[in-house]
């Protein structure tokens, strides 16, 4: 029985270690995705501020 318990303990530890690796990788992907999303919004806002929009002028003409 003690060998079986030892193997079970080793297998459990190995599974928990893999779970921690997956959790860290998931957190890293989430941080990168959020950074890209925020960066795209900032760049889009900057482009909108620099380039005039013709929609307002078209609405005034009509």
């Amino acid at each position: 029985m003690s060998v079986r318990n030892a193997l079970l303990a080793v297998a459990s530890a190995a599974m928990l270690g893999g779970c921690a690796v997956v959790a860290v990788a998931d957190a890293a992907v989430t941080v990168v995705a959020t950074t890209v999303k925020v960066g795209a919004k900032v760049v889009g806002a900057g482009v909108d501020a620099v380039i005039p929009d013709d929609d307002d002028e078209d609405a005034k003409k009509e």
Side-chain angles (χ1 to χ4, degrees), residues 4-62:
R4 183 176 177 194
N5 288 339
L7 288 175
L8 183 62
V10 170
S12 297
M15 284 188 242
L16 289 175
C19 184
V21 170
V22 170
V24 169
D26 183 45
V29 169
T30 302
V31 168
V32 171
T34 302
T35 304
V36 169
K37 188 189 313 182
V38 169
K41 286 183 180 181
V42 169
V43 169
V47 169
D48 286 342
V50 173
I51 299 175
D53 192 11
D54 292 338
D55 291 341
D56 294 336
E57 294 173 10
D58 292 339
K60 290 179 185 177
K61 289 179 183 177
E62 291 176 1

